[in-house]
Coordinates of all heavy atoms in Angstrom, one line a residue:
R1 N 10.5 -58.0 21.8 CA 9.8 -58.1 20.5 C 10.9 -58.4 19.4 O 10.7 -59.2 18.5 CB 9.1 -56.8 20.2 CG 8.4 -56.9 18.8 CD 7.5 -55.6 18.6 NE 7.1 -55.7 17.3 CZ 6.9 -54.6 16.5 NH1 7.1 -53.4 17.0 NH2 6.5 -54.8 15.3
Q2 N 12.0 -57.7 19.5 CA 13.1 -57.9 18.5 C 13.6 -59.3 18.5 O 13.9 -59.9 17.5 CB 14.2 -56.9 18.8 CG 15.3 -57.0 17.8 CD 16.4 -56.0 18.0 OE1 16.4 -55.3 19.0 NE2 17.4 -55.9 17.2
V3 N 13.8 -59.9 19.7 CA 14.3 -61.2 19.8 C 13.4 -62.2 19.1 O 13.8 -63.1 18.4 CB 14.6 -61.6 21.3 CG1 14.9 -63.1 21.4 CG2 15.7 -60.8 21.8
W4 N 12.1 -62.1 19.4 CA 11.1 -63.0 18.8 C 11.1 -62.8 17.2 O 10.9 -63.8 16.5 CB 9.7 -62.7 19.3 CG 9.6 -63.2 20.8 CD1 9.5 -62.4 21.9 CD2 9.7 -64.5 21.2 NE1 9.6 -63.2 23.0 CE2 9.7 -64.5 22.6 CE3 9.9 -65.8 20.6 CZ2 9.7 -65.6 23.4 CZ3 9.9 -66.9 21.4 CH2 9.9 -66.8 22.8
G5 N 11.2 -61.6 16.8 CA 11.3 -61.3 15.3 C 12.5 -62.0 14.7 O 12.5 -62.6 13.6
Q6 N 13.7 -62.0 15.4 CA 14.9 -62.6 14.9 C 14.7 -64.1 14.9 O 15.2 -64.8 14.0 CB 16.1 -62.2 15.8 CG 16.5 -60.8 15.6 CD 17.5 -60.3 16.5 OE1 17.7 -60.8 17.6 NE2 18.2 -59.2 16.1
L7 N 14.0 -64.7 16.0 CA 13.8 -66.1 16.0 C 12.9 -66.5 14.8 O 13.1 -67.5 14.2 CB 13.1 -66.5 17.3 CG 12.8 -68.0 17.5 CD1 14.1 -68.8 17.4 CD2 12.1 -68.2 18.8
F8 N 11.8 -65.7 14.6 CA 11.0 -66.0 13.4 C 11.8 -66.0 12.1 O 11.7 -66.9 11.3 CB 9.8 -65.0 13.4 CG 8.9 -65.2 12.2 CD1 8.0 -66.1 12.2 CD2 9.1 -64.4 11.0 CE1 7.1 -66.4 11.1 CE2 8.3 -64.6 9.9 CZ 7.3 -65.6 10.0
G9 N 12.6 -65.0 12.0 CA 13.5 -64.9 10.8 C 14.4 -66.1 10.6 O 14.6 -66.6 9.5
L10 N 14.9 -66.6 11.7 CA 15.7 -67.8 11.7 C 14.9 -69.0 11.2 O 15.4 -69.8 10.4 CB 16.3 -68.1 13.1 CG 17.3 -69.2 13.2 CD1 18.6 -69.0 12.3 CD2 17.8 -69.4 14.6
F11 N 13.7 -69.1 11.7 CA 12.8 -70.2 11.2 C 12.6 -70.1 9.7 O 12.7 -71.1 9.0 CB 11.5 -70.2 11.9 CG 11.4 -70.8 13.2 CD1 11.0 -70.1 14.3 CD2 11.6 -72.2 13.4 CE1 11.0 -70.7 15.6 CE2 11.6 -72.8 14.6 CZ 11.2 -72.0 15.7
I12 N 12.4 -68.9 9.2 CA 12.2 -68.7 7.8 C 13.5 -69.0 7.0 O 13.5 -69.7 6.0 CB 11.8 -67.2 7.5 CG1 10.4 -67.0 8.1 CG2 11.8 -66.9 6.0 CD1 9.3 -67.8 7.6
Q13 N 14.6 -68.5 7.5 CA 15.9 -68.8 6.8 C 16.2 -70.3 6.8 O 16.6 -70.8 5.7 CB 17.0 -68.1 7.5 CG 18.4 -68.4 6.9 CD 19.5 -67.7 7.7 OE1 19.3 -67.0 8.7 NE2 20.7 -67.9 7.2
K14 N 16.0 -71.0 7.9 CA 16.3 -72.4 7.9 C 15.3 -73.2 7.0 O 15.7 -74.2 6.3 CB 16.2 -73.0 9.3 CG 17.3 -72.4 10.2 CD 18.7 -72.8 9.7 CE 19.8 -72.2 10.5 NZ 21.1 -72.3 9.9
G15 N 14.0 -72.7 6.9 CA 13.1 -73.3 6.0 C 13.5 -73.2 4.6 O 13.4 -74.1 3.8
R16 N 14.0 -72.0 4.3 CA 14.4 -71.7 2.9 C 15.6 -72.6 2.6 O 15.7 -73.2 1.5 CB 14.8 -70.2 2.7 CG 15.4 -69.9 1.4 CD 15.7 -68.4 1.3 NE 16.7 -67.9 2.3 CZ 18.0 -68.2 2.2 NH1 18.5 -68.9 1.2 NH2 18.8 -67.7 3.1
E17 N 16.6 -72.7 3.5 CA 17.8 -73.5 3.2 C 17.4 -75.0 3.1 O 18.0 -75.7 2.3 CB 18.8 -73.2 4.4 CG 19.4 -71.8 4.3 CD 20.2 -71.5 5.5 OE1 20.2 -72.2 6.5 OE2 20.9 -70.4 5.5
K18 N 16.5 -75.4 3.9 CA 16.0 -76.8 3.8 C 15.5 -77.1 2.5 O 15.7 -78.3 1.9 CB 15.0 -77.1 4.9 CG 14.5 -78.5 4.9 CD 13.4 -78.7 6.0 CE 12.9 -80.1 5.9 NZ 11.5 -80.2 5.8
E19 N 14.8 -76.2 1.9 CA 14.3 -76.4 0.5 C 15.3 -76.1 -0.6 O 15.0 -76.1 -1.8 CB 13.0 -75.5 0.3 CG 11.9 -75.9 1.2 CD 11.3 -77.3 0.9 OE1 11.3 -77.6 -0.3 OE2 10.9 -77.9 1.9
S20 N 16.5 -75.7 -0.2 CA 17.6 -75.4 -1.1 C 17.2 -74.3 -2.1 O 17.5 -74.3 -3.3 CB 18.1 -76.7 -1.9 OG 18.5 -77.6 -1.0
R21 N 16.6 -73.3 -1.5 CA 16.2 -72.1 -2.3 C 17.0 -70.9 -2.0 O 17.4 -70.7 -0.9 CB 14.7 -71.8 -2.1 CG 13.8 -72.9 -2.5 CD 12.4 -72.3 -2.8 NE 11.6 -73.3 -3.5 CZ 10.8 -74.2 -2.9 NH1 10.7 -74.1 -1.6 NH2 10.2 -75.1 -3.6
S22 N 17.4 -70.2 -3.0 CA 18.1 -68.9 -2.8 C 17.1 -67.9 -2.3 O 15.8 -68.1 -2.4 CB 18.7 -68.4 -4.1 OG 17.6 -68.0 -5.0
V23 N 17.6 -66.8 -1.8 CA 16.7 -65.7 -1.3 C 15.9 -65.2 -2.5 O 14.6 -65.0 -2.4 CB 17.5 -64.6 -0.7 CG1 16.6 -63.3 -0.4 CG2 18.2 -65.0 0.6
E24 N 16.5 -65.0 -3.6 CA 15.8 -64.5 -4.8 C 14.7 -65.5 -5.2 O 13.6 -65.0 -5.6 CB 16.8 -64.4 -6.0 CG 17.8 -63.3 -5.8 CD 19.0 -63.6 -4.9 OE1 19.1 -64.8 -4.5 OE2 19.7 -62.7 -4.6
E25 N 14.9 -66.8 -5.2 CA 13.9 -67.8 -5.6 C 12.8 -67.8 -4.7 O 11.6 -67.7 -5.1 CB 14.6 -69.1 -5.7 CG 13.6 -70.2 -6.2 CD 14.3 -71.6 -6.3 OE1 15.4 -71.8 -5.8 OE2 13.6 -72.5 -6.8
A26 N 13.1 -67.8 -3.4 CA 12.0 -67.9 -2.4 C 11.2 -66.6 -2.4 O 9.9 -66.6 -2.4 CB 12.6 -68.1 -1.0
A27 N 11.8 -65.4 -2.5 CA 11.1 -64.2 -2.6 C 10.2 -64.1 -3.8 O 9.0 -63.7 -3.7 CB 12.1 -63.0 -2.6
G28 N 10.7 -64.5 -4.9 CA 9.9 -64.6 -6.2 C 8.7 -65.4 -6.0 O 7.6 -65.1 -6.4
M29 N 8.9 -66.6 -5.4 CA 7.7 -67.5 -5.2 C 6.7 -66.9 -4.3 O 5.5 -67.3 -4.4 CB 8.3 -68.9 -4.7 CG 9.1 -69.6 -5.7 SD 9.8 -71.1 -4.9 CE 8.3 -72.2 -4.8
A30 N 7.1 -66.1 -3.4 CA 6.2 -65.5 -2.4 C 5.7 -64.1 -2.9 O 4.9 -63.5 -2.2 CB 6.9 -65.3 -1.1
G31 N 6.1 -63.7 -4.1 CA 5.6 -62.4 -4.6 C 6.2 -61.2 -3.9 O 5.6 -60.2 -3.8
M32 N 7.5 -61.4 -3.4 CA 8.1 -60.4 -2.7 C 9.4 -59.9 -3.4 O 9.9 -60.7 -4.2 CB 8.5 -60.9 -1.3 CG 7.3 -61.3 -0.4 SD 7.8 -62.2 1.1 CE 8.6 -60.9 2.0
E33 N 9.9 -58.8 -3.0 CA 11.2 -58.4 -3.4 C 12.3 -59.1 -2.5 O 12.0 -59.4 -1.4 CB 11.4 -56.8 -3.2 CG 10.4 -56.0 -4.1 CD 10.7 -56.1 -5.6 OE1 11.9 -56.2 -5.9 OE2 9.8 -56.1 -6.4
R34 N 13.4 -59.2 -3.1 CA 14.6 -59.8 -2.4 C 14.8 -59.1 -1.0 O 15.0 -59.7 0.0 CB 15.8 -59.8 -3.2 CG 17.0 -60.4 -2.6 CD 18.3 -60.2 -3.5 NE 19.4 -60.9 -3.0 CZ 20.2 -60.4 -2.0 NH1 20.0 -59.2 -1.5 NH2 21.3 -61.1 -1.6
S35 N 14.8 -57.8 -1.1 CA 15.0 -57.0 0.1 C 14.0 -57.2 1.2 O 14.3 -57.2 2.4 CB 15.1 -55.5 -0.2 OG 13.9 -55.1 -0.8
E36 N 12.7 -57.4 0.8 CA 11.6 -57.7 1.7 C 11.9 -59.0 2.4 O 11.7 -59.2 3.6 CB 10.3 -57.7 1.0 CG 9.8 -56.4 0.5 CD 8.5 -56.6 -0.3 OE1 8.5 -57.3 -1.3 OE2 7.5 -55.9 0.1
W37 N 12.3 -60.0 1.6 CA 12.5 -61.4 2.2 C 13.7 -61.3 3.2 O 13.6 -61.8 4.3 CB 12.8 -62.4 1.1 CG 12.9 -63.8 1.6 CD1 14.0 -64.4 2.2 CD2 11.9 -64.8 1.6 NE1 13.7 -65.6 2.6 CE2 12.4 -65.9 2.2 CE3 10.6 -64.8 1.1 CZ2 11.6 -67.1 2.4 CZ3 9.8 -66.0 1.3 CH2 10.4 -67.1 1.9
L38 N 14.7 -60.7 2.8 CA 15.9 -60.5 3.7 C 15.6 -59.8 5.0 O 16.1 -60.1 6.0 CB 17.1 -59.9 3.0 CG 17.8 -60.7 2.0 CD1 18.9 -59.9 1.2 CD2 18.5 -61.9 2.7
A39 N 14.7 -58.8 4.9 CA 14.3 -58.1 6.1 C 13.6 -59.0 7.1 O 13.8 -58.9 8.3 CB 13.4 -56.9 5.7
V40 N 12.8 -59.9 6.6 CA 12.1 -60.9 7.4 C 13.2 -61.8 8.0 O 13.1 -62.1 9.3 CB 11.0 -61.7 6.7 CG1 10.5 -62.8 7.5 CG2 9.9 -60.8 6.2
E41 N 14.1 -62.3 7.2 CA 15.1 -63.2 7.8 C 16.0 -62.6 8.8 O 16.6 -63.2 9.7 CB 16.0 -63.8 6.7 CG 15.3 -64.8 5.8 CD 16.3 -65.6 4.9 OE1 17.5 -65.5 5.0 OE2 15.8 -66.4 4.1
T42 N 16.1 -61.2 8.8 CA 16.9 -60.5 9.8 C 16.0 -60.0 11.0 O 16.6 -59.3 11.8 CB 17.7 -59.4 9.2 OG1 16.9 -58.5 8.5 CG2 18.7 -60.0 8.2
G43 N 14.7 -60.3 11.0 CA 14.0 -59.9 12.2 C 12.7 -59.1 12.0 O 12.0 -58.9 12.9
R44 N 12.4 -58.6 10.8 CA 11.2 -57.9 10.6 C 10.1 -58.9 10.2 O 10.2 -59.7 9.3 CB 11.3 -56.9 9.4 CG 10.0 -56.0 9.3 CD 10.1 -55.2 8.0 NE 10.1 -55.9 6.8 CZ 9.0 -56.4 6.2 NH1 7.8 -56.3 6.7 NH2 9.1 -57.1 5.0
V45 N 9.0 -58.9 11.0 CA 8.0 -59.9 10.8 C 7.0 -59.4 9.7 O 6.8 -58.2 9.5 CB 7.2 -60.3 12.1 CG1 8.1 -61.0 13.0 CG2 6.6 -59.0 12.7
P46 N 6.4 -60.4 8.9 CA 5.4 -60.0 7.9 C 4.3 -59.2 8.6 O 3.9 -59.4 9.7 CB 4.9 -61.3 7.4 CG 6.0 -62.3 7.7 CD 6.6 -61.8 9.0
E47 N 3.8 -58.2 7.8 CA 2.8 -57.3 8.4 C 1.4 -57.8 8.2 O 0.5 -57.4 8.9 CB 3.0 -55.9 7.7 CG 4.3 -55.2 8.1 CD 4.5 -53.9 7.4 OE1 3.6 -53.4 6.9 OE2 5.6 -53.4 7.5
T48 N 1.2 -58.7 7.2 CA -0.1 -59.2 6.9 C -0.2 -60.7 6.9 O 0.9 -61.3 6.7 CB -0.6 -58.7 5.6 OG1 0.2 -59.3 4.5 CG2 -0.6 -57.2 5.4
A49 N -1.3 -61.2 7.2 CA -1.5 -62.7 7.1 C -1.3 -63.2 5.7 O -0.7 -64.3 5.5 CB -2.9 -63.1 7.6
A50 N -1.6 -62.4 4.7 CA -1.4 -62.8 3.3 C 0.1 -63.0 3.0 O 0.5 -63.9 2.4 CB -2.1 -61.8 2.4
Q51 N 0.9 -62.0 3.5 CA 2.3 -62.1 3.3 C 2.9 -63.3 4.0 O 3.7 -64.0 3.5 CB 3.0 -60.8 3.7 CG 4.4 -60.7 3.4 CD 5.1 -59.4 3.8 OE1 4.8 -58.9 4.8 NE2 6.0 -58.9 2.9
L52 N 2.4 -63.6 5.2 CA 2.9 -64.7 6.0 C 2.5 -66.0 5.3 O 3.4 -66.9 5.1 CB 2.2 -64.7 7.4 CG 2.6 -65.8 8.4 CD1 4.1 -65.7 8.6 CD2 1.8 -65.6 9.6
R53 N 1.3 -66.1 4.7 CA 0.9 -67.3 4.0 C 1.7 -67.5 2.7 O 2.1 -68.6 2.3 CB -0.6 -67.3 3.7 CG -1.4 -67.7 4.9 CD -2.9 -67.9 4.5 NE -3.5 -66.7 4.0 CZ -4.1 -65.7 4.7 NH1 -4.1 -65.8 6.0 NH2 -4.6 -64.7 4.1
S54 N 2.0 -66.4 2.0 CA 2.8 -66.5 0.8 C 4.2 -67.0 1.0 O 4.8 -67.8 0.3 CB 2.8 -65.2 0.0 OG 3.5 -64.2 0.6
M55 N 4.8 -66.5 2.1 CA 6.1 -67.0 2.5 C 6.1 -68.5 2.9 O 6.9 -69.3 2.5 CB 6.7 -66.2 3.7 CG 7.0 -64.8 3.3 SD 7.7 -63.8 4.7 CE 9.4 -64.5 4.6
A56 N 5.1 -68.9 3.6 CA 4.9 -70.3 4.0 C 4.7 -71.1 2.8 O 5.3 -72.2 2.7 CB 3.7 -70.4 4.9
G57 N 4.0 -70.7 1.8 CA 3.8 -71.4 0.6 C 5.1 -71.6 -0.2 O 5.4 -72.7 -0.7
A58 N 5.9 -70.5 -0.2 CA 7.2 -70.6 -0.9 C 8.1 -71.6 -0.2 O 9.0 -72.2 -0.9 CB 7.9 -69.2 -1.0
L59 N 8.0 -71.8 1.1 CA 8.8 -72.7 1.8 C 8.2 -74.1 2.0 O 8.8 -75.0 2.6 CB 9.1 -72.1 3.2 CG 9.8 -70.8 3.2 CD1 10.0 -70.3 4.6 CD2 11.2 -70.9 2.5
E60 N 7.0 -74.2 1.4 CA 6.2 -75.5 1.5 C 6.0 -75.9 2.9 O 6.0 -77.1 3.3 CB 6.9 -76.6 0.7 CG 7.0 -76.3 -0.8 CD 7.6 -77.4 -1.6 OE1 7.6 -78.6 -1.2 OE2 8.1 -77.1 -2.7
F61 N 5.7 -74.9 3.8 CA 5.3 -75.1 5.2 C 3.8 -75.6 5.1 O 3.0 -75.0 4.4 CB 5.3 -73.9 6.0 CG 6.7 -73.5 6.5 CD1 7.9 -74.2 6.2 CD2 6.8 -72.4 7.3 CE1 9.1 -73.8 6.6 CE2 8.1 -72.0 7.8 CZ 9.2 -72.7 7.4
S62 N 3.5 -76.6 6.0 CA 2.1 -77.0 6.1 C 1.4 -75.9 7.0 O 2.1 -75.1 7.7 CB 2.0 -78.4 6.8 OG 2.5 -78.3 8.1
D63 N 0.1 -76.0 7.0 CA -0.6 -75.1 7.9 C -0.2 -75.3 9.4 O -0.1 -74.3 10.1 CB -2.1 -75.3 7.8 CG -2.7 -74.8 6.5 OD1 -2.0 -74.0 5.8 OD2 -3.8 -75.2 6.1
A64 N 0.0 -76.5 9.8 CA 0.5 -76.8 11.1 C 1.8 -76.2 11.4 O 2.1 -75.7 12.5 CB 0.5 -78.3 11.4
Q65 N 2.8 -76.3 10.5 CA 4.1 -75.8 10.7 C 4.0 -74.3 10.8 O 4.7 -73.7 11.7 CB 5.0 -76.1 9.5 CG 5.5 -77.6 9.5 CD 6.2 -77.9 8.2 OE1 5.7 -77.7 7.1 NE2 7.4 -78.4 8.3
L66 N 3.2 -73.6 9.9 CA 3.1 -72.2 10.0 C 2.5 -71.8 11.3 O 2.9 -70.8 11.9 CB 2.2 -71.7 8.8 CG 1.9 -70.2 8.8 CD1 3.1 -69.4 8.7 CD2 0.9 -69.9 7.6
A67 N 1.4 -72.5 11.7 CA 0.8 -72.1 13.0 C 1.8 -72.3 14.2 O 1.8 -71.5 15.1 CB -0.4 -73.0 13.2
T68 N 2.6 -73.3 14.2 CA 3.5 -73.6 15.2 C 4.6 -72.4 15.3 O 4.8 -71.9 16.4 CB 4.3 -74.9 15.0 OG1 3.3 -76.0 15.1 CG2 5.3 -75.2 16.1
V69 N 5.1 -72.1 14.1 CA 6.1 -71.0 14.1 C 5.5 -69.7 14.6 O 6.1 -69.0 15.4 CB 6.7 -70.9 12.7 CG1 7.6 -69.6 12.6 CG2 7.6 -72.1 12.4
A70 N 4.3 -69.4 14.1 CA 3.7 -68.1 14.4 C 3.3 -68.1 15.9 O 3.5 -67.1 16.6 CB 2.4 -67.9 13.6
C71 N 2.9 -69.2 16.5 CA 2.6 -69.3 17.9 C 3.9 -69.1 18.7 O 3.9 -68.4 19.8 CB 1.9 -70.6 18.2 SG 0.1 -70.6 17.8
L72 N 4.9 -69.8 18.4 CA 6.2 -69.7 19.1 C 6.7 -68.3 19.1 O 7.3 -67.9 20.1 CB 7.2 -70.7 18.5 CG 7.1 -72.1 18.8 CD1 8.1 -72.9 18.0 CD2 7.3 -72.4 20.3
C73 N 6.5 -67.6 18.0 CA 7.1 -66.3 17.9 C 6.0 -65.2 18.0 O 6.3 -64.0 17.6 CB 7.8 -66.2 16.5 SG 9.1 -67.4 16.4
R74 N 4.9 -65.5 18.6 CA 3.8 -64.5 18.6 C 4.1 -63.2 19.2 O 3.5 -62.1 18.8 CB 2.5 -65.1 19.2 CG 2.7 -65.3 20.7 CD 1.5 -66.0 21.3 NE 1.7 -66.4 22.7 CZ 2.2 -67.6 23.0 NH1 2.5 -68.5 22.0 NH2 2.5 -68.0 24.2
D75 N 5.0 -63.1 20.1 CA 5.4 -61.8 20.7 C 6.1 -60.9 19.7 O 6.2 -59.7 20.0 CB 6.2 -62.0 22.0 CG 5.4 -62.6 23.1 OD1 4.1 -62.4 23.1 OD2 6.0 -63.1 24.1
A76 N 6.5 -61.4 18.6 CA 7.2 -60.5 17.6 C 6.2 -59.5 17.0 O 6.6 -58.5 16.5 CB 7.8 -61.4 16.5
W77 N 4.9 -59.9 17.0 CA 3.9 -59.0 16.4 C 3.3 -58.0 17.4 O 2.6 -57.1 17.1 CB 2.8 -59.8 15.8 CG 3.2 -60.4 14.5 CD1 3.0 -59.8 13.3 CD2 3.8 -61.7 14.3 NE1 3.5 -60.6 12.3 CE2 4.0 -61.8 12.9 CE3 4.2 -62.7 15.1 CZ2 4.6 -62.9 12.3 CZ3 4.8 -63.8 14.5 CH2 4.9 -63.9 13.1
K78 N 3.7 -58.1 18.7 CA 3.2 -57.1 19.7 C 3.7 -55.8 19.5 O 4.9 -55.6 19.2 CB 3.5 -57.6 21.1 CG 2.7 -58.8 21.5 CD 2.9 -59.1 22.9 CE 2.0 -60.3 23.3 NZ 2.1 -60.7 24.7
Q79 N 2.9 -54.8 19.6 CA 3.3 -53.4 19.4 C 3.9 -52.9 20.7 O 4.1 -52.6 21.6 CB 2.1 -52.5 19.0 CG 1.5 -53.0 17.7 CD 2.5 -52.7 16.5 OE1 3.4 -51.9 16.6 NE2 2.3 -53.5 15.5

């Protein structure tokens, strides 16, 4: 589970860097605290679909991109 969470975090980090956004800027756009955003980039997956969608919006991910990343890393959400 941890490895999948880290992979998800890497997708989020690379998406943020591709958009040339700072952690603060991306977190603000997603309605999150900087520490929450950094936690995701280091392996903690979003707990709700709303949080996942807000992060995707901040990164300008399409629905297809979001679905692909979530499917690839789906084991990160397993308990």
Side-chain angles (χ1 to χ4, degrees):
R1 179 174 173 216
Q2 181 180 4
V3 170
W4 291 110
Q6 289 171 337
L7 181 61
F8 178 80
L10 185 61
F11 278 118
I12 295 299
Q13 179 183 0
K14 294 301 177 187
R16 177 180 59 76
E17 290 171 351
K18 181 180 177 236
E19 294 297 321
S20 300
R21 293 203 169 95
S22 68
V23 171
E24 293 79 8
E25 182 180 11
M29 292 175 75
M32 299 170 69
E33 296 293 325
R34 179 183 186 277
S35 60
E36 292 175 300
W37 188 280
L38 282 174
V40 172
E41 285 193 8
T42 58
R44 186 187 64 83
V45 294
E47 296 176 14
T48 66
Q51 189 178 36
L52 184 60
R53 281 191 299 274
S54 69
M55 291 183 80
L59 299 175
E60 299 183 22
F61 281 2
S62 68
D63 289 344
Q65 287 172 307
L66 177 60
T68 299
V69 170
C71 284
L72 284 172
C73 300
R74 69 183 168 270
D75 287 341
W77 283 271
K78 288 188 177 181
Q79 299 294 337

